[in-house]
Amino acid sequence: MRTTNDPVTMPDPVDDAALTQWSQAVAAARRAVAKAQSDYDSATAALDLGDPNSPASRAKATLTAAGAANVQADNALGAAQNQQATLQAAAATADAGVLSAQAALAAATQSVSKELGRLMASASTSALLTATVDGLALRERYRTGGATNPPVWDMATIPFRATATDTPVDPEVALPVLGSADHAAVVAVLDALDDTVDAIADLVAAEGVHQLVGGNLVRSGAALDLAATGAVPDELEVVTTPVRGYDVTHRVLVLGEATPTAAWHAPVASVVGAVDPAWVAWLASLVPDPARVHLAAVALDGGSGAVLGAVDLTADALGLDASDWLRVAADRGELAARVAAVARPRLAASIGRPVDGPVALGPAVAPPAGAVPFDAFVAACAAVRSVAGRVRALGPADLAPAGQDAVPVSAAVEAAAVTAVTQVQTALATLDADLAAAPTTASDPLVGVLLRATALGLAEATPPLAEGPVDDAALRSLAATARRRLADRLAVPPFAASAAGPDATLAAARSALRTLCGAPVPLLLPVPLPSDAALRTDLREGAALREGAAVLAGATPAAVRDWLYDHARVRPVLDALLTAYDTADAVAPTATLRVRATHGPRVAGAGWAGLDPAPAPGLVDLVVLRTGGTAVPDQVAGLAVDAWVQTVTASGHDAALAFHFDEPDADPPQAVLVAVPPSVDPARVPRAWDLASLLGVVTSTIAQAADRAVAAELVPDASVQLGSGQ
C-alpha cells in the first residue's frame, strides 16, 4: 500500500484538450490515496481489534475497503498514464507528418524556382522572336511588297514561300506558302492592320486640324508630332461631341438651435465644451448617456495575475463630456488610466486592503435592465468620431439662396469667436502653471493635472495608473514632458480681431482653436436663417410634415431619407454621418434622423430637386437634418456636412457627323465635246460656223438624246441598218 511519503512518478502532461480526462483521473487517484491513508491512521490508533463492534474493528474493515479503493486508484492512474503515452505518440507522429510535408513543400518550391530561372535565362532569345512585333514596321514591309505587280516577297518585305518545297529565306521564321489557307489568314490580318493604321492616321490628322481650327496651335502641333512617332494621343477631342447642360447644387446640413440643450451633461465641462457648447450638445445627441453605460474594474494580483476583486462602475463616474469621450474611447491607455484612478479606492474598500497591482477593464458583473454595454458605447463613439473630423461649422453662405450674397458675420459673432480663443489660451496658461508646480504638488492633485493635459491632446502626459501605483518621480517626469510639448501652443500670440473684418476673424479663430485644443473644434456660432417664407415652411415639423400647397412637393421625410441613403453609397462623409445616427439609434435611441428638404429659387409646379430628373437650372438644394425643437428658429447653429454639384444634361444639343472617303485617283474632265463642224472641206463656204449649221447640230443632238432615253424594247420597229459606205 502506498503511503503519503511514497513518490508518485507522473509524466508532464501535454497542453492538449484531449488530456483533460487524464488530469481528472490523476486528481481522483490522489484524493483516494489521501483518504485511505487517513482511514489507516485512524484504525491504527484504535488498539482494541478483538471486539468486532469496537471502533478498531470497524476501522480495520474500513481500512480494508480503503486498500481496495487504493488499488482501483492505482489502476486508474496507470490507465491514465497509458492514455497519455498514446497521445504523445500520436502527437509525435503528427509532428513527423508536418516535418515531412514541410520538406516536400521546400522541395517543390526549389523545383519551381529552378524552372523559373531556366525560363528567365531563355527569355532573351525566345521573347525576341515570338512575343514582340513592331506593327508599323510590319505594315510598311507589307505595303512595300504588295506595291509591285506581281508582289515581291523577300527579306526586304515579307519572306512568304512560293512553294512548299522552298527553303525558308529566314531559317528562324517559316512563313506559309503563297495561296495556302494559312497565307490567306495572315494576309487578312495584315490587311486589317493596314486599315487600322490608316484610320488612326486619319484620325490623328483630323485631331491636329481640329485643334488648329480651334486656335490651339500647341495642341495641334503636339498631336501631329505624336502621330509621327507612331503613337496616339490620349484624348481625341475631334470625336467628342460637347454635351450641353447646367448645374444644380446639393448641400447636406445639420441645423439646430443657436443655444441647444444637451441630452446629458458632464459634472464639469471640458475646455472644448466650455467654448463650443453647441458642438458638444450635438455630439451628446449621438453618444449614449454615460450614466446608462456599465463596466467593471477588476483588481489583479501583481505577481500571479489572479483576480482579487471587482467593482461595477458607470461611465459617468469618469466625469467626461461627449467631446472627451470621442478621444478617450479611441485611446485605451487613457481610458484604463481614468478608470483605474476612479476604481482603485473603491476596489481597496471592497477587498479590505490597498490595491497595488494592475486594474483591468471588464464587462459589468450584474448590469441593471436597460444598461448599455461598454463595448456598444465605444462603438457609438467611434462612429461619431469618424464624422466629427470631416464636417465644418455652418456659415451664412451655406443657407444663401441661389444668386444672393450671404449675410456677413455680425459683430456679436466676431466677439464670441475672440472670447472662445481667449478662453482656451487662458486655460492653457493655467495648465502650464500647474505643470510648473509639479515638484511641490502631491500625487493625487498632480494626477488630476496630468489628466487635464491629456484632455488637451497631450497624450504623453497620461499617467500609467492601470499598471499600478505611480511614484512621485514618474509623475513629475510626465509633467515636465507635457510642459515642454505645451510650449508651442503657449507661444501663440494673444488672439485679437482681424483688421480684415469679422469674416477673417471667425476663420482665424476656428483655425487657432484646432491648434490650441489639439482636436477638431468647429465653433458653432449663431447664423441667421433666411427670411424666405417657403424655406421656413419646408423646414417646419409636426403637423406640417403632411404635404400641402405650401410645402415642397415630393420632399416627404421618407423620400428625403431614401435620397440620403442612396447618395451615401458614393459620398463617404454622408455615409459616416448616417452610420453615426444608425449606431446611436441601435445602441441607445437618443438621436432621431429628422430630415427635411427645400430648394431655391422656386419654379411654379416643380417638385423637389432631389427627385426631379430635370430640375430648373441654378437650383440650390438644401437637405437638412433637424436637431432640437420642432419650431423653426430665427438663429440656427449647425454643421455643413457635404456639398456637390450635379450636372443635368440638356434635353437637346447639337451634334456633328463626318464621313471619310478616299479621293479618286482619276479627275473628271473639265470640258465636254458637244459638237464639231459638219464638214471640214476646205472648199466649203462658209469655212466657219454659221447659224444654220449650229442649229442643225443642236437639233440633231436633242433628237438623238430623246431616242436614246427610250429603252429598245419599247420601240417595236427599232432596227439596225448595215450597209456599205458610198
Side-chain angles (χ1 to χ4, degrees):
M1 180 174 58
R2 181 178 290 125
T3 65
T4 55
N5 294 325
D6 291 337
V8 178
T9 302
M10 292 181 293
D12 185 26
V14 180
D15 185 10
D16 191 283
L19 299 182
T20 301
Q21 183 179 0
W22 175 85
S23 301
Q24 294 175 348
V26 171
R30 288 177 175 173
R31 289 195 299 269
V33 170
K35 188 175 186 306
Q37 185 62 41
S38 176
D39 292 342
Y40 177 80
D41 293 339
S42 298
T44 304
L47 298 179
D48 186 9
L49 299 177
D51 187 0
N53 296 323
S54 66
S57 298
R58 290 196 301 270
K60 184 177 180 180
T62 303
L63 181 59
T64 302
N70 189 24
V71 172
Q72 293 178 354
D74 288 339
N75 294 336
L77 180 59
Q81 290 173 340
N82 293 336
Q83 184 179 6
Q84 182 205 11
T86 301
L87 291 174
Q88 288 177 336
T93 303
D95 290 341
V98 171
L99 292 176
S100 176
Q102 289 177 341
L105 177 60
T109 302
Q110 184 177 8
S111 176
V112 171
S113 300
K114 290 181 179 179
E115 182 64 19
L116 287 176
R118 186 187 66 78
L119 293 177
M120 292 298 294
S122 62
S124 59
T125 57
S126 62
L128 180 63
L129 298 176
T130 62
T132 304
V133 175
D134 186 342
L136 293 178
L138 179 62
R139 172 180 179 265
E140 188 62 28
R141 282 171 171 259
Y142 178 63
R143 290 172 63 88
T144 302
T148 60
N149 189 15
V152 177
W153 305 114
D154 53 19
M155 287 296 295
T157 58
I158 299 177
F160 290 119
R161 291 180 295 164
T163 64
T165 59
D166 290 348
T167 302
V169 178
D170 186 352
E172 297 290 340
V173 181
L175 294 178
V177 179
L178 294 175
S180 65
D182 290 342
H183 174 259
V186 172
V187 170
V189 174
L190 292 174
D191 287 338
L193 172 65
D194 186 39
D195 292 341
T196 302
V197 174
D198 184 64
I200 293 175
D202 292 342
L203 184 60
V204 174
E207 174 70 12
V209 175
H210 173 76
Q211 298 293 343
L212 182 63
V213 173
N216 193 343
L217 302 181
V218 176
R219 183 69 181 270
S220 175
L224 297 177
D225 290 343
L226 193 62
T229 64
V232 181
D234 294 334
E235 296 181 2
L236 297 171
E237 295 183 3
V238 68
V239 297
T240 302
T241 301
V243 178
R244 297 180 180 178
Y246 53 88
D247 293 338
V248 174
T249 303
H250 298 280
R251 297 173 186 162
V252 179
L253 313 174
V254 174
L255 293 186
E257 299 174 353
T259 56
T261 301
W264 52 271
H265 298 273
V268 178
S270 64
V271 174
V272 175
V275 300
D276 200 354
W279 168 246
V280 175
W282 181 70
L283 297 178
S285 68
L286 296 174
V287 175
D289 187 351
R292 299 178 53 194
V293 179
H294 289 254
L295 69 155
V298 182
L300 304 176
D301 182 76
S304 63
V307 176
L308 302 179
V311 293
D312 284 353
L313 300 174
T314 54
D316 62 333
L318 275 61
L320 303 175
D321 64 11
S323 64
D324 283 332
W325 271 116
L326 295 192
R327 180 193 70 260
V328 173
D331 188 345
R332 302 296 291 186
E334 182 182 354
L335 174 62
R338 290 183 177 274
V339 171
V342 173
R344 200 175 291 276
R346 304 186 187 186
L347 287 169
S350 175
I351 64 177
R353 64 181 179 86
V355 179
D356 297 329
V359 175
L361 303 181
V365 177
V372 177
F374 187 70
D375 289 344
F377 178 73
V378 171
C381 292
V384 179
R385 186 173 57 254
S386 67
V387 70
R390 304 158 75 177
V391 297
R392 61 173 177 83
L394 181 74
D398 298 314
L399 297 173
Q404 296 186 15
D405 294 333
V407 178
V409 175
S410 64
V413 170
E414 180 184 31
V418 174
T419 301
V421 180
T422 303
Q423 189 173 353
V424 174
Q425 289 183 315
T426 302
L428 292 177
T430 303
L431 175 62
D432 181 66
D434 293 340
L435 291 172
T440 60
T441 305
S443 297
D444 291 343
L446 185 54
V447 167
V449 174
L450 291 174
L451 292 178
R452 281 166 46 204
T454 303
L456 286 171
L458 301 175
E460 62 272 23
T462 306
L465 303 178
E467 300 174 6
V470 183
D471 58 25
D472 292 348
L475 293 176
R476 289 163 185 166
S477 176
L478 293 175
T481 302
R483 193 178 183 211
R484 286 194 297 270
R485 286 290 307 276
L486 194 61
D488 292 339
R489 303 187 198 182
L490 295 173
V492 177
F495 191 79
S498 173
D503 290 316
T505 300
L506 183 57
R510 286 172 172 153
S511 177
L513 284 175
R514 186 179 187 91
T515 301
L516 295 174
C517 294
V521 183
L523 192 59
L524 309 186
L525 296 176
V527 176
L529 193 68
S531 58
D532 183 33
L535 181 145
R536 290 173 174 265
T537 300
D538 293 338
L539 296 184
R540 66 186 178 182
E541 297 184 356
L545 292 180
R546 296 190 300 270
E547 290 192 66
V551 179
L552 186 60
T556 61
V560 176
R561 276 192 292 269
D562 290 342
W563 184 89
L564 284 172
Y565 280 101
D566 287 342
H567 284 77
R569 300 175 181 176
V570 294
R571 308 296 303 182
V573 180
L574 189 55
D575 180 63
L577 178 71
L578 296 179
T579 300
Y581 271 90
D582 290 343
T583 305
D585 184 65
V587 173
T590 56
T592 304
L593 195 62
R594 299 158 47 196
V595 293
R596 301 297 288 143
T598 183
H599 70 224
R602 294 297 184 88
V603 178
W608 173 41
L611 300 180
D612 191 351
L619 284 182
V620 176
D621 176 34
L622 301 181
V623 178
V624 174
L625 279 70
R626 290 289 310 275
T627 63
T630 58
V632 181
D634 295 330
Q635 297 279 335
V636 295
L639 298 164
V641 178
D642 200 1
W644 65 93
V645 176
Q646 173 190 357
T647 300
V648 181
T649 305
S651 58
H653 58 272
D654 298 332
L657 183 63
F659 296 93
H660 171 76
F661 61 93
D662 293 330
E663 182 181 0
D665 296 333
D667 293 333
Q670 304 302 316
V672 178
L673 179 64
V674 176
V676 296
S679 175
V680 292
D681 186 0
R684 184 181 182 279
V685 178
R687 293 283 306 271
W689 281 100
D690 59 359
L691 181 60
S693 299
L694 181 61
L695 181 61
V697 169
V698 172
T699 302
S700 175
T701 301
I702 293 175
Q704 291 179 8
D707 292 341
R708 293 175 181 177
V710 180
E713 59 269 17
L714 299 180
V715 183
D717 56 350
S719 62
V720 177
Q721 300 291 331
L722 299 178
S724 59
Q726 298 295 326

